[in-house]
Amino acid sequence: MKAAISSLISSKNLNFHCSRTTLLHSKPVFPRSPSFLSPTPTKTHQIRTNFDKTSRIHTTHFSSIMASSYKPEQARAPPALSLPAPPVTKFKIGLCQLSVTPDKERNIAHARKAIEEAASKGAQLIMLPEIWNSPYSNDSFPVYAEDIDAGGDASPSTAMLSEVARLLKITIVGGSIPERVRDKLYNTCCIFGSDGKLKAKHRKIHLFDIDIPGKITFIESKTLTAGQSPTIVDTEVGRIGVGICYDLRFQELAMIYAARGAHLLCYPGAFNMTTGPLHWELLQRARAADNQLYVATCSPARDAGAGYVAWGHSTLVGPFGEVLATAEHEETIVIAEIDYSIIELRRTNLPLQKQRRGDLYQLVDVQRLNSE
């Protein structure tokens, strides 16, 4: 993994972003004299005019000093990478909000059909939900788990994703499935390129261990092991940072992805009926607005009779925190357009990257730091 990160960092597209900040100062406001009392400039007006000229000179000088003292380039360690030029500027994304059953073969065939439908509607990037080949339960994870690295018959779910990505020439963020690695289980998302090759694999970093009395209790760590690495991958549709469900709650992960030059964050997820109404859209919009990039989520469709009931509402959010497209709770496919030129526009409108206070705080990307 360190080699992969080192390769990523050394890419010619990854130039350090060392821009300076500016301060905005308003001019002092003097009381206006009624025009009928001051038909000609008075001494007070002349004093104010001279003060304004001096103020502008002082403000320019002061801003230069403060821009240096703010040190926005030091707010990220290592420094934030510049946004790389994406392979495409505009493309369509497809979010496949699928119903999930205990029948694994049916789930795989159903997911394939949904991917094919999304591709037929022009989607170049297609995303599946969290745990789409299995019921979402600690009892099911060991039964439905696959050996992704072995591939073939040992992992029919990822074999299907690889094949359909190659045949349709699309990029797939393959939701997540339970993964078996010797005596450990992971909640894992696989990303396939248009050649059908596995480009990256993200194991859920933050496990869903919550207890809200009278509402929901779920302890994912009873069966699953936490992943140990953030995952960012260059694809045919741009640089993507990947998280799974509960990872969405941790803004530091999204900030690391933004500092590594991500255009888009993808979170397959399955928020529940307690946290979904309150936090699902809120967190997506926060991650997008804070980092000024696109955020896409994909949930299973809601099954009121399941042991774990998903909220649904798969969504695409723009870099200003605006909801661009969303679903309700039923099974559906959301098709929406992503336009990366909007990222630069928003970052120009609201230059957060130039205004970070590196003199006061810092985000440390431990993995990048250790790889250099």
Side-chain angles (χ1 to χ4, degrees):
M1 189 62 191
K2 286 189 176 182
I5 293 298
S6 297
S7 175
L8 175 68
I9 294 167
S10 65
S11 168
K12 64 182 179 180
N13 288 330
L14 305 183
N15 300 316
F16 290 128
H17 178 69
C18 302
S19 56
R20 293 184 177 276
T21 190
T22 57
L23 284 174
L24 301 179
H25 293 269
S26 58
K27 296 179 182 179
V29 178
F30 288 80
R32 286 181 174 270
S33 300
S35 58
F36 64 88
L37 294 179
S38 305
T40 58
T42 64
K43 186 175 182 180
T44 301
H45 284 90
Q46 292 170 354
I47 292 172
R48 187 177 71 188
T49 301
N50 292 336
F51 185 91
D52 285 351
K53 290 179 180 177
T54 304
S55 178
R56 281 196 294 272
I57 294 171
H58 178 264
T59 297
T60 301
H61 178 65
F62 185 70
S63 295
S64 177
I65 294 173
M66 291 307 294
S68 176
S69 67
Y70 280 4
K71 300 178 180 177
E73 72 280 359
Q74 293 184 19
R76 300 286 182 268
L81 306 175
S82 60
L83 194 69
V88 294
T89 302
K90 291 183 181 180
F91 66 94
K92 288 182 179 179
I93 185 172
L95 309 175
C96 299
Q97 185 164 289
L98 304 175
S99 60
V100 179
T101 72
D103 185 340
K104 184 176 183 179
E105 289 187 5
R106 177 267 178 199
N107 294 336
I108 294 173
H110 190 59
R112 179 171 188 144
K113 183 178 178 182
I115 292 170
E116 291 171 344
E117 181 180 342
S120 72
K121 294 179 179 179
Q124 293 175 256
L125 172 63
I126 296 174
M127 187 173 164
L128 298 184
E130 181 185 23
I131 307 294
W132 57 268
N133 71 343
S134 159
Y136 190 91
S137 73
N138 279 314
D139 291 338
S140 298
F141 297 151
V143 177
Y144 289 75
E146 299 180 7
D147 186 342
I148 295 172
D149 292 338
D153 293 340
S155 185
S157 299
T158 59
M160 179 275 288
L161 295 178
S162 173
E163 181 182 34
V164 75
R166 176 178 56 82
L167 292 175
L168 299 177
K169 306 298 181 187
I170 55 174
T171 300
I172 296 178
V173 176
S176 77
I177 65 172
E179 178 192 16
R180 184 182 299 281
V181 182
R182 294 178 292 279
D183 61 340
K184 292 183 178 180
L185 296 175
Y186 297 93
N187 186 341
T188 302
C189 176
C190 293
I191 299 90
F192 291 91
S194 60
D195 57 1
K197 294 182 179 179
L198 179 65
K199 297 184 74 70
K201 186 167 64 172
H202 177 76
R203 291 169 176 161
K204 189 173 186 177
I205 294 173
H206 305 94
L207 295 184
F208 181 59
D209 289 359
I210 72 167
D211 182 14
I212 303 176
K215 295 291 186 178
I216 182 170
T217 298
F218 201 101
I219 309 299
E220 221 173 25
S221 61
K222 281 184 177 180
T223 54
L224 300 179
T225 299
Q228 296 301 311
S229 177
T231 304
I232 192 163
V233 55
D234 284 315
T235 75
E236 293 86 345
V237 291
R239 182 167 295 169
I240 300 175
V242 183
I244 299 175
C245 200
Y246 207 51
D247 288 339
L248 177 62
R249 289 189 176 275
F250 298 88
Q251 66 268 38
E252 296 87 351
L253 180 62
M255 292 165 70
I256 283 173
Y257 288 152
R260 292 186 186 185
H263 302 98
L264 166 68
L265 305 185
C266 288
Y267 294 94
F271 272 40
N272 55 75
M273 298 299 294
T274 298
T275 61
L278 290 171
H279 300 152
W280 177 244
E281 182 183 299
L282 171 71
L283 291 168
Q284 295 171 60
R285 296 183 67 186
R287 300 294 86 85
D290 287 350
N291 298 290
Q292 298 177 305
L293 40 65
Y294 283 88
V295 171
T297 60
C298 190
S299 167
R302 189 180 306 169
D303 178 359
Y308 181 94
V309 182
W311 171 241
H313 296 268
S314 301
T315 303
L316 175 67
V317 180
F320 219 42
E322 71 277 32
V323 174
L324 298 175
T326 191
E328 292 297 326
H329 62 80
E330 69 281 353
E331 183 169 280
T332 189
I333 298 174
V334 177
I335 304 291
E337 184 177 77
I338 287 177
D339 181 354
Y340 287 145
S341 68
I342 301 298
I343 296 177
E344 290 291 0
L345 175 63
R346 295 311 184 197
R347 292 181 179 185
T348 300
N349 297 155
L350 196 65
L352 300 181
Q353 291 181 322
K354 298 178 181 180
Q355 297 168 337
R356 299 192 188 282
R357 295 293 300 271
D359 58 322
L360 298 179
Y361 50 74
Q362 186 179 64
L363 175 75
V364 179
D365 186 338
V366 175
Q367 189 180 60
R368 273 186 64 201
L369 204 63
N370 290 342
S371 69
E372 294 185 344

